[in-house]
Amino acid sequence: MSRLLGGTLERVCKAVLLLCLLHFLVAVILYFDVYAQHLAFFSRFSIRSPARALYPAASSSTNCSRPNATASSSGLPEVSSARPGPTAPVIPPCPDVPPGLVGRVVIEFTSPMPLERVQRENPGVLLGGRYTPPDCTPAQTVAVIIPFRHREHHLRYWLHYLHPMLRRQRLRYGIYVINQHGEETFNRAKLLNIGFLEALKEDATYDCFIFSDVDLVPMDDRNLYRCGDQPRHFAIAMDKFGFRLPYASYFGGVSGLSKAQFLRINGFPNEYWGWGGEDDDIFNRISLTGMKISRPDVRIGRYRMIKHDRDKHNEPNPQRFNKIQNTKMSMKWDGIGSVRYRVLEVSRQPLFTNITVDIGRPMSWLNQG
Protein backbone atom coordinates (compact mmCIF):
# COMPACT_ATOMS: atom_id res chain seq x y z
CA MET A 1 0.00 0.00 0.00
CA SER A 2 2.73 2.37 0.92
CA ARG A 3 4.61 1.44 -2.21
CA LEU A 4 1.54 2.28 -4.33
CA LEU A 5 1.09 5.61 -2.59
CA GLY A 6 4.74 6.57 -3.14
CA GLY A 7 4.54 5.89 -6.88
CA THR A 8 1.44 7.98 -7.22
CA LEU A 9 3.03 10.87 -5.33
CA GLU A 10 6.10 10.72 -7.55
CA ARG A 11 4.01 11.03 -10.71
CA VAL A 12 2.07 13.94 -9.26
CA CYS A 13 5.32 15.76 -8.44
CA LYS A 14 6.63 15.24 -11.94
CA ALA A 15 3.39 16.55 -13.39
CA VAL A 16 3.54 19.62 -11.16
CA LEU A 17 7.18 20.15 -12.12
CA LEU A 18 6.36 19.92 -15.83
CA LEU A 19 3.45 22.31 -15.32
CA CYS A 20 5.73 24.78 -13.54
CA LEU A 21 8.29 24.46 -16.28
CA LEU A 22 5.62 25.03 -18.92
CA HIS A 23 4.38 28.09 -17.01
CA PHE A 24 7.89 29.43 -16.81
CA LEU A 25 8.42 29.04 -20.53
CA VAL A 26 5.13 30.77 -21.32
CA ALA A 27 6.04 33.57 -18.94
CA VAL A 28 9.44 34.00 -20.59
CA ILE A 29 7.89 34.08 -24.05
CA LEU A 30 5.28 36.61 -22.99
CA TYR A 31 7.90 38.72 -21.29
CA PHE A 32 10.08 39.00 -24.38
CA ASP A 33 7.05 39.69 -26.56
CA VAL A 34 5.88 42.57 -24.37
CA TYR A 35 9.46 43.90 -24.13
CA ALA A 36 9.79 43.93 -27.90
CA GLN A 37 6.51 45.78 -28.28
CA HIS A 38 7.57 48.40 -25.73
CA LEU A 39 10.92 48.80 -27.47
CA ALA A 40 9.27 49.36 -30.86
CA PHE A 41 6.80 51.79 -29.30
CA PHE A 42 9.47 54.01 -27.75
CA SER A 43 11.75 53.80 -30.76
CA ARG A 44 8.90 55.08 -32.94
CA PHE A 45 8.52 58.13 -30.72
CA SER A 46 12.25 58.76 -30.61
CA ILE A 47 12.43 58.97 -34.46
CA ARG A 48 9.29 60.92 -35.25
CA SER A 49 9.24 63.46 -32.46
CA PRO A 50 12.18 65.61 -33.76
CA ALA A 51 10.64 65.71 -37.22
CA ARG A 52 7.36 66.93 -35.78
CA ALA A 53 9.19 69.53 -33.73
CA LEU A 54 11.03 70.89 -36.81
CA TYR A 55 8.09 70.62 -39.18
CA PRO A 56 4.93 71.10 -37.10
CA ALA A 57 2.81 71.37 -40.26
CA ALA A 58 3.79 67.86 -41.45
CA SER A 59 0.52 66.05 -41.02
CA SER A 60 -2.31 64.68 -43.06
CA SER A 61 -3.98 68.11 -42.96
CA THR A 62 -0.98 69.86 -44.57
CA ASN A 63 -2.20 69.46 -48.12
CA CYS A 64 -5.65 70.87 -47.44
CA SER A 65 -4.49 74.33 -48.50
CA ARG A 66 -2.77 72.91 -51.58
CA PRO A 67 -5.30 70.59 -53.21
CA ASN A 68 -3.05 69.94 -56.20
CA ALA A 69 0.14 69.45 -54.24
CA THR A 70 2.04 66.18 -54.28
CA ALA A 71 3.06 64.85 -50.87
CA SER A 72 6.60 63.70 -50.38
CA SER A 73 7.30 60.05 -49.66
CA SER A 74 8.73 60.88 -46.25
CA GLY A 75 5.59 62.68 -45.11
CA LEU A 76 7.60 65.89 -44.60
CA PRO A 77 6.89 69.12 -46.54
CA GLU A 78 8.74 69.56 -49.78
CA VAL A 79 11.67 71.99 -49.61
CA SER A 80 12.36 73.91 -52.82
CA SER A 81 15.77 73.13 -54.28
CA ALA A 82 15.74 76.12 -56.70
CA ARG A 83 18.81 78.30 -56.47
CA PRO A 84 18.53 82.10 -56.48
CA GLY A 85 18.79 83.63 -59.95
CA PRO A 86 21.90 85.52 -61.09
CA THR A 87 22.14 89.16 -60.03
CA ALA A 88 22.37 91.88 -62.68
CA PRO A 89 26.00 92.69 -63.52
CA VAL A 90 27.35 96.01 -62.29
CA ILE A 91 28.39 98.13 -65.30
CA PRO A 92 31.53 100.16 -64.50
CA PRO A 93 31.87 103.85 -65.40
CA CYS A 94 33.39 104.63 -68.77
CA PRO A 95 37.12 105.50 -68.63
CA ASP A 96 38.23 109.09 -69.08
CA VAL A 97 40.43 107.97 -71.98
CA PRO A 98 38.49 105.44 -74.10
CA PRO A 99 40.72 102.47 -74.99
CA GLY A 100 39.40 102.04 -78.55
CA LEU A 101 40.47 105.37 -80.04
CA VAL A 102 42.51 105.26 -83.25
CA GLY A 103 43.77 108.85 -83.38
CA ARG A 104 44.13 110.43 -86.84
CA VAL A 105 41.40 109.38 -89.28
CA VAL A 106 41.61 109.55 -93.06
CA ILE A 107 38.73 111.71 -94.32
CA GLU A 108 37.59 111.78 -97.97
CA PHE A 109 34.40 112.91 -99.66
CA THR A 110 34.63 111.24 -103.08
CA SER A 111 33.16 107.78 -102.47
CA PRO A 112 29.37 107.36 -102.74
CA MET A 113 27.75 107.41 -99.29
CA PRO A 114 24.16 106.10 -99.27
CA LEU A 115 22.36 106.13 -95.93
CA GLU A 116 21.82 102.38 -96.18
CA ARG A 117 25.57 101.83 -96.04
CA VAL A 118 25.95 104.08 -93.00
CA GLN A 119 23.14 102.22 -91.29
CA ARG A 120 24.82 98.84 -91.91
CA GLU A 121 28.06 100.22 -90.48
CA ASN A 122 26.37 101.22 -87.21
CA PRO A 123 24.09 98.36 -86.08
CA GLY A 124 24.20 99.46 -82.44
CA VAL A 125 22.66 102.88 -83.14
CA LEU A 126 18.97 102.94 -82.22
CA LEU A 127 16.10 104.70 -83.96
CA GLY A 128 16.48 108.45 -83.77
CA GLY A 129 20.28 108.26 -83.73
CA ARG A 130 20.51 107.22 -80.06
CA TYR A 131 23.40 105.18 -78.71
CA THR A 132 24.53 103.92 -75.30
CA PRO A 133 27.75 101.92 -74.83
CA PRO A 134 26.97 98.38 -73.62
CA ASP A 135 30.10 97.87 -71.52
CA CYS A 136 30.30 101.02 -69.38
CA THR A 137 28.25 103.88 -67.97
CA PRO A 138 29.09 107.34 -69.42
CA ALA A 139 29.30 110.32 -67.09
CA GLN A 140 27.32 112.55 -69.50
CA THR A 141 24.40 112.30 -71.89
CA VAL A 142 25.25 114.23 -75.06
CA ALA A 143 22.88 115.82 -77.58
CA VAL A 144 24.51 116.68 -80.91
CA ILE A 145 22.60 119.53 -82.59
CA ILE A 146 22.97 120.18 -86.35
CA PRO A 147 21.41 123.28 -87.99
CA PHE A 148 20.26 122.15 -91.40
CA ARG A 149 18.74 122.95 -94.77
CA HIS A 150 19.37 121.43 -98.22
CA ARG A 151 22.52 119.56 -97.15
CA GLU A 152 21.54 115.88 -97.54
CA HIS A 153 24.81 115.09 -99.33
CA HIS A 154 26.83 116.55 -96.43
CA LEU A 155 24.69 114.83 -93.81
CA ARG A 156 25.45 111.36 -95.19
CA TYR A 157 29.20 111.94 -94.92
CA TRP A 158 28.83 113.48 -91.46
CA LEU A 159 26.89 110.45 -90.19
CA HIS A 160 29.37 108.07 -91.83
CA TYR A 161 32.33 109.52 -89.94
CA LEU A 162 30.76 110.77 -86.71
CA HIS A 163 28.73 107.75 -85.57
CA PRO A 164 31.78 105.41 -85.40
CA MET A 165 33.85 108.13 -83.73
CA LEU A 166 31.24 108.88 -81.07
CA ARG A 167 30.82 105.16 -80.37
CA ARG A 168 34.58 104.73 -79.97
CA GLN A 169 34.51 107.62 -77.50
CA ARG A 170 32.03 105.62 -75.35
CA LEU A 171 29.41 108.36 -75.45
CA ARG A 172 25.73 108.08 -74.64
CA TYR A 173 24.36 110.42 -77.30
CA GLY A 174 21.57 111.39 -79.66
CA ILE A 175 21.78 113.15 -83.07
CA TYR A 176 19.26 115.94 -83.81
CA VAL A 177 19.02 117.55 -87.26
CA ILE A 178 17.07 120.83 -86.97
CA ASN A 179 15.73 121.46 -90.44
CA GLN A 180 14.64 125.01 -91.31
CA HIS A 181 11.45 124.90 -93.37
CA GLY A 182 10.98 127.14 -96.40
CA GLU A 183 13.35 129.36 -98.33
CA GLU A 184 13.66 132.36 -96.05
CA THR A 185 17.05 133.59 -94.88
CA PHE A 186 18.89 130.94 -92.89
CA ASN A 187 19.25 131.47 -89.12
CA ARG A 188 21.87 129.13 -87.65
CA ALA A 189 21.84 130.32 -84.03
CA LYS A 190 18.05 130.22 -83.74
CA LEU A 191 18.05 126.62 -85.01
CA LEU A 192 20.62 125.75 -82.32
CA ASN A 193 18.36 127.21 -79.63
CA ILE A 194 15.48 125.15 -80.97
CA GLY A 195 17.63 122.02 -80.97
CA PHE A 196 18.49 122.57 -77.31
CA LEU A 197 14.81 122.84 -76.35
CA GLU A 198 13.56 119.97 -78.52
CA ALA A 199 16.28 117.57 -77.37
CA LEU A 200 15.38 118.21 -73.74
CA LYS A 201 11.72 117.56 -74.53
CA GLU A 202 12.69 114.10 -75.73
CA ASP A 203 15.19 113.35 -72.96
CA ALA A 204 15.49 115.58 -69.91
CA THR A 205 18.74 113.87 -68.87
CA TYR A 206 20.80 115.61 -71.58
CA ASP A 207 23.48 117.58 -69.77
CA CYS A 208 25.94 118.25 -72.62
CA PHE A 209 25.17 119.88 -75.97
CA ILE A 210 27.47 119.78 -78.99
CA PHE A 211 26.54 122.27 -81.73
CA SER A 212 27.99 121.19 -85.07
CA ASP A 213 27.82 122.41 -88.65
CA VAL A 214 26.93 119.56 -90.99
CA ASP A 215 29.87 120.23 -93.34
CA LEU A 216 32.62 119.79 -90.73
CA VAL A 217 34.17 116.38 -89.99
CA PRO A 218 36.84 115.86 -87.29
CA MET A 219 40.12 114.31 -88.39
CA ASP A 220 41.07 112.85 -85.00
CA ASP A 221 38.82 110.86 -82.63
CA ARG A 222 40.88 111.97 -79.61
CA ASN A 223 38.95 115.25 -79.89
CA LEU A 224 36.41 114.03 -77.32
CA TYR A 225 32.86 115.32 -77.76
CA ARG A 226 32.25 116.03 -74.10
CA CYS A 227 31.48 119.07 -71.98
CA GLY A 228 33.82 120.39 -69.32
CA ASP A 229 34.00 123.05 -66.65
CA GLN A 230 34.14 125.72 -69.36
CA PRO A 231 32.51 126.08 -72.81
CA ARG A 232 34.57 124.21 -75.40
CA HIS A 233 35.49 125.05 -78.98
CA PHE A 234 36.31 121.87 -80.91
CA ALA A 235 36.93 123.01 -84.51
CA ILE A 236 40.06 125.07 -83.94
CA ALA A 237 42.05 123.98 -87.03
CA MET A 238 40.01 123.72 -90.23
CA ASP A 239 41.53 123.07 -93.62
CA LYS A 240 39.52 126.07 -94.87
CA PHE A 241 41.71 128.35 -92.72
CA GLY A 242 44.99 126.49 -93.22
CA PHE A 243 44.47 124.49 -89.99
CA ARG A 244 44.59 127.52 -87.73
CA LEU A 245 42.12 129.90 -86.10
CA PRO A 246 41.07 132.74 -88.44
CA TYR A 247 41.15 135.09 -85.40
CA ALA A 248 41.56 134.69 -81.65
CA SER A 249 37.89 135.08 -80.70
CA TYR A 250 36.59 132.65 -83.34
CA PHE A 251 33.97 130.27 -81.88
CA GLY A 252 32.40 128.81 -85.01
CA GLY A 253 31.96 125.41 -86.58
CA VAL A 254 31.70 122.99 -83.65
CA SER A 255 31.27 124.01 -80.00
CA GLY A 256 30.02 122.45 -76.80
CA LEU A 257 28.33 123.76 -73.65
CA SER A 258 26.81 122.05 -70.66
CA LYS A 259 23.17 122.69 -69.91
CA ALA A 260 24.08 125.03 -67.06
CA GLN A 261 26.55 126.98 -69.22
CA PHE A 262 24.04 127.34 -72.04
CA LEU A 263 21.38 128.73 -69.73
CA ARG A 264 23.88 131.03 -68.07
CA ILE A 265 24.48 132.89 -71.36
CA ASN A 266 20.73 132.85 -72.16
CA GLY A 267 21.38 130.53 -75.08
CA PHE A 268 22.27 131.91 -78.51
CA PRO A 269 20.99 135.07 -80.21
CA ASN A 270 17.90 134.61 -82.38
CA GLU A 271 18.21 137.65 -84.62
CA TYR A 272 21.30 136.86 -86.69
CA TRP A 273 19.73 136.14 -90.08
CA GLY A 274 22.15 135.20 -92.84
CA TRP A 275 25.79 134.20 -92.65
CA GLY A 276 28.18 135.21 -89.86
CA GLY A 277 28.12 137.21 -86.66
CA GLU A 278 26.35 134.78 -84.31
CA ASP A 279 29.60 133.01 -83.35
CA ASP A 280 31.18 136.27 -82.25
CA ASP A 281 28.04 137.17 -80.31
CA ILE A 282 28.23 133.81 -78.50
CA PHE A 283 31.92 134.42 -77.74
CA ASN A 284 30.98 137.78 -76.22
CA ARG A 285 28.24 136.21 -74.10
CA ILE A 286 30.67 133.66 -72.70
CA SER A 287 33.20 136.37 -71.89
CA LEU A 288 30.58 138.61 -70.26
CA THR A 289 29.58 135.82 -67.85
CA GLY A 290 33.18 135.33 -66.73
CA MET A 291 33.66 131.92 -68.33
CA LYS A 292 36.69 130.94 -70.39
CA ILE A 293 36.71 128.96 -73.61
CA SER A 294 38.68 125.72 -73.59
CA ARG A 295 40.18 124.22 -76.74
CA PRO A 296 41.85 120.91 -77.64
CA ASP A 297 45.44 120.65 -78.72
CA VAL A 298 45.86 121.87 -82.29
CA ARG A 299 47.14 118.43 -83.32
CA ILE A 300 43.78 116.79 -82.53
CA GLY A 301 41.46 119.73 -83.23
CA ARG A 302 41.72 119.43 -87.03
CA TYR A 303 38.64 119.40 -89.26
CA ARG A 304 37.90 118.96 -92.92
CA MET A 305 35.13 120.94 -94.55
CA ILE A 306 32.91 119.49 -97.27
CA LYS A 307 33.00 121.99 -100.10
CA HIS A 308 29.70 123.41 -101.33
CA ASP A 309 28.20 126.42 -103.02
CA ARG A 310 26.86 129.01 -100.64
CA ASP A 311 23.09 129.11 -100.24
CA LYS A 312 21.71 132.24 -101.93
CA HIS A 313 19.53 132.71 -98.83
CA ASN A 314 22.55 132.59 -96.51
CA GLU A 315 24.43 135.66 -97.61
CA PRO A 316 26.34 137.75 -95.05
CA ASN A 317 24.21 140.04 -92.92
CA PRO A 318 25.56 143.58 -93.39
CA GLN A 319 24.27 144.62 -89.94
CA ARG A 320 26.01 141.85 -88.03
CA PHE A 321 28.87 144.08 -86.81
CA ASN A 322 26.44 146.51 -85.18
CA LYS A 323 24.70 143.64 -83.39
CA ILE A 324 27.96 142.17 -82.07
CA GLN A 325 28.81 145.48 -80.38
CA ASN A 326 25.50 145.38 -78.47
CA THR A 327 25.81 141.87 -77.04
CA LYS A 328 25.83 143.10 -73.45
CA MET A 329 22.33 144.51 -73.86
CA SER A 330 20.85 142.04 -76.34
CA MET A 331 21.77 138.91 -74.36
CA LYS A 332 19.31 139.99 -71.66
CA TRP A 333 16.27 139.79 -73.94
CA ASP A 334 17.40 137.86 -77.04
CA GLY A 335 18.09 134.20 -76.33
CA ILE A 336 16.64 130.91 -75.23
CA GLY A 337 13.82 132.59 -73.36
CA SER A 338 12.59 134.55 -76.37
CA VAL A 339 12.90 132.01 -79.21
CA ARG A 340 9.67 131.56 -81.17
CA TYR A 341 9.08 128.73 -83.63
CA ARG A 342 6.62 126.07 -84.73
CA VAL A 343 7.44 122.37 -85.02
CA LEU A 344 6.10 120.99 -88.29
CA GLU A 345 7.39 117.44 -88.12
CA VAL A 346 9.45 115.14 -85.91
CA SER A 347 10.80 112.13 -87.79
CA ARG A 348 12.98 109.53 -86.07
CA GLN A 349 15.26 108.04 -88.68
CA PRO A 350 17.59 105.06 -88.11
CA LEU A 351 20.62 107.37 -87.74
CA PHE A 352 19.20 110.69 -86.52
CA THR A 353 16.10 112.55 -85.42
CA ASN A 354 14.89 115.10 -87.96
CA ILE A 355 12.92 118.05 -86.59
CA THR A 356 11.48 120.38 -89.22
CA VAL A 357 10.57 123.82 -87.89
CA ASP A 358 9.09 127.07 -89.09
CA ILE A 359 11.20 129.87 -87.59
CA GLY A 360 9.50 132.81 -89.28
CA ARG A 361 11.31 135.52 -91.18
CA PRO A 362 13.56 138.47 -90.33
CA MET A 363 11.88 141.76 -89.55
CA SER A 364 13.11 144.82 -91.42
CA TRP A 365 13.66 146.86 -88.27
CA LEU A 366 15.83 144.12 -86.81
CA ASN A 367 18.01 144.05 -89.93
CA GLN A 368 18.70 147.70 -89.37
CA GLY A 369 20.67 146.82 -86.24
Side-chain angles (χ1 to χ4, degrees), residues 142-149 151 154-155 158-159 162 165-166 174-178 186 188 191-192 209-218 225 232-235 238 251-257 268 278-279 303-304:
V142 181
V144 184
I145 312 298
I146 301 175
F148 186 83
R149 185 172 64 180
R151 292 285 182 266
H154 298 163
L155 180 61
W158 191 96
L159 295 169
L162 266 295
M165 187 195 82
L166 299 177
I175 306 295
Y176 295 88
V177 175
I178 314 302
F186 194 69
R188 176 179 180 269
L191 293 175
L192 296 179
F209 296 83
I210 307 297
F211 304 96
S212 174
D213 289 347
V214 73
D215 58 357
L216 287 177
V217 175
Y225 274 35
R232 189 165 180 81
H233 185 210
F234 295 93
M238 291 188 286
F251 195 67
V254 184
S255 57
L257 293 90
F268 298 157
E278 79 282 353
D279 296 329
Y303 281 75
R304 285 202 63 185

Side-chain angles (χ1 to χ4, degrees), residues 42-327:
F42 285 110
S43 64
R44 183 168 67 249
F45 272 90
S46 64
I47 293 174
R48 294 184 180 179
S49 294
R52 291 176 181 175
L54 292 174
Y55 304 98
S59 65
S60 60
S61 63
T62 302
N63 290 332
C64 291
S65 61
R66 298 171 58 195
N68 297 324
T70 301
S72 62
S73 59
S74 64
L76 301 180
E78 296 178 2
V79 179
S80 175
S81 60
R83 297 180 179 178
T87 58
V90 177
I91 301 179
C94 293
D96 291 335
V97 180
L101 300 181
V102 298
R104 190 66 62 86
V105 180
V106 177
I107 306 295
E108 60 90 16
F109 304 122
T110 58
S111 302
M113 195 58 60
L115 281 176
E116 293 77 9
R117 171 186 170 182
V118 184
Q119 186 176 351
R120 290 195 303 269
E121 294 170 343
N122 299 278
V125 177
L126 302 180
L127 190 67
R130 301 294 299 270
Y131 178 80
T132 299
D135 55 350
C136 64
T137 302
Q140 299 177 351
T141 304
V142 181
V144 184
I145 312 298
I146 301 175
F148 186 83
R149 185 172 64 180
H150 305 324
R151 292 285 182 266
E152 289 78 7
H153 175 69
H154 298 163
L155 180 61
R156 292 194 293 269
Y157 281 112
W158 191 96
L159 295 169
H160 167 69
Y161 287 111
L162 266 295
H163 268 304
M165 187 195 82
L166 299 177
R167 290 192 290 109
R168 289 195 300 271
Q169 293 183 0
R170 298 295 197 276
L171 297 181
R172 177 170 53 223
Y173 67 88
I175 306 295
Y176 295 88
V177 175
I178 314 302
N179 179 37
Q180 179 175 330
H181 175 73
E183 299 298 331
E184 292 293 339
T185 305
F186 194 69
N187 191 323
R188 176 179 180 269
K190 189 171 185 178
L191 293 175
L192 296 179
N193 278 340
I194 295 170
F196 175 86
L197 293 173
E198 292 299 315
L200 285 175
K201 287 181 182 179
E202 181 176 271
D203 187 348
T205 66
Y206 281 124
D207 49 9
C208 177
F209 296 83
I210 307 297
F211 304 96
S212 174
D213 289 347
V214 73
D215 58 357
L216 287 177
V217 175
M219 301 175 65
D220 198 308
D221 63 3
R222 293 172 295 177
N223 193 1
L224 301 180
Y225 274 35
R226 300 175 183 169
C227 293
D229 296 335
Q230 303 294 330
R232 189 165 180 81
H233 185 210
F234 295 93
I236 64 168
M238 291 188 286
D239 57 354
K240 175 183 178 180
F241 301 124
F243 294 110
R244 61 175 60 90
L245 286 174
Y247 48 91
S249 61
Y250 181 71
F251 195 67
V254 184
S255 57
L257 293 90
S258 69
K259 180 180 179 180
Q261 293 163 0
F262 189 87
L263 295 175
R264 185 175 176 182
I265 65 172
N266 191 22
F268 298 157
N270 296 305
E271 301 305 334
Y272 280 83
W273 298 86
W275 174 79
E278 79 282 353
D279 296 329
D280 299 308
D281 194 299
I282 297 168
F283 180 89
N284 290 344
R285 293 183 179 218
I286 292 173
S287 301
L288 288 170
T289 55
M291 294 186 288
K292 305 294 183 181
I293 294 175
S294 66
R295 294 185 171 95
D297 187 276
V298 68
R299 292 171 296 179
I300 64 174
R302 292 171 169 246
Y303 281 75
R304 285 202 63 185
M305 175 178 283
I306 308 173
K307 294 181 180 180
H308 59 86
D309 296 329
R310 185 173 298 280
D311 189 337
K312 65 179 181 179
H313 297 291
N314 193 25
E315 293 300 323
N317 184 343
Q319 301 297 327
R320 65 186 185 276
F321 298 109
N322 294 334
K323 295 178 182 295
I324 295 171
Q325 295 175 1
N326 296 321
T327 301

